[in-house]
Amino acid sequence: MVYAVVRAGGRQEKVEVGSTIVTNRIAGDEKGIVELPAVLLVDGDKITTDADKLAKVKVTAEVVEDLRGPKIVIQRYKNKTGYKRRQGHRQDLTRLKITGIK
């Protein structure tokens, strides 16, 4: 079983070939291909963490869709002063399908 831990969108994700992940918005090239940097590679019983060897590892992914996350409501309130503020946020996300670990 081959899998890798990659850095994607400010977080680390465990990926295998064929798996899908949702990360912060990533722009792919004109074909929709993204290359993710590997942090760890596990190939059966062999575990690779050396930075020089990981620089040669290529984890490629295909952009499936761009989407937006759930609405997050931010409310601020101060007692007895009449201060109320309400704000919303939706994060831009990208769904990626892992196509290869080489």
Side-chain angles (χ1 to χ4, degrees), residues 1-12:
M1 181 167 121
V2 178
Y3 67 89
V5 176
V6 296
R7 188 171 295 121
R11 298 182 308 182
Q12 293 181 357

Side-chain angles (χ1 to χ4, degrees), residues 8-102:
R11 298 182 308 182
Q12 293 181 357
E13 300 275 347
K14 177 184 171 185
V15 297
E16 298 176 9
V17 175
S19 65
T20 60
I21 60 172
V22 177
T23 64
N24 290 343
R25 183 66 55 95
I26 298 175
D29 61 2
E30 63 275 351
K31 296 178 184 176
I33 303 297
V34 177
E35 192 169 310
L36 303 171
V39 178
L40 176 104
L41 177 68
V42 177
D43 187 7
D45 293 335
K46 193 169 100 177
I47 299 172
T48 305
T49 58
D50 185 29
D52 295 332
K53 293 180 182 177
L54 288 174
K56 299 173 186 174
V57 174
K58 291 187 178 185
V59 178
T60 56
E62 168 188 333
V63 175
V64 177
E65 66 175 331
D66 290 328
L67 60 139
R68 299 191 75 195
K71 179 95 171 207
I72 297 171
V73 178
I74 301 142
Q75 290 184 336
R76 296 178 184 159
Y77 174 78
K78 291 198 177 188
N79 196 13
K80 301 177 187 169
T81 60
Y83 175 79
K84 290 188 282 185
R85 179 168 290 173
R86 184 175 170 160
Q87 181 182 358
H89 176 75
R90 289 185 75 182
Q91 184 69 35
D92 293 329
L93 302 172
T94 301
R95 179 168 285 132
L96 300 174
K97 181 175 182 183
I98 307 300
T99 56
I101 300 174
K102 297 179 181 126

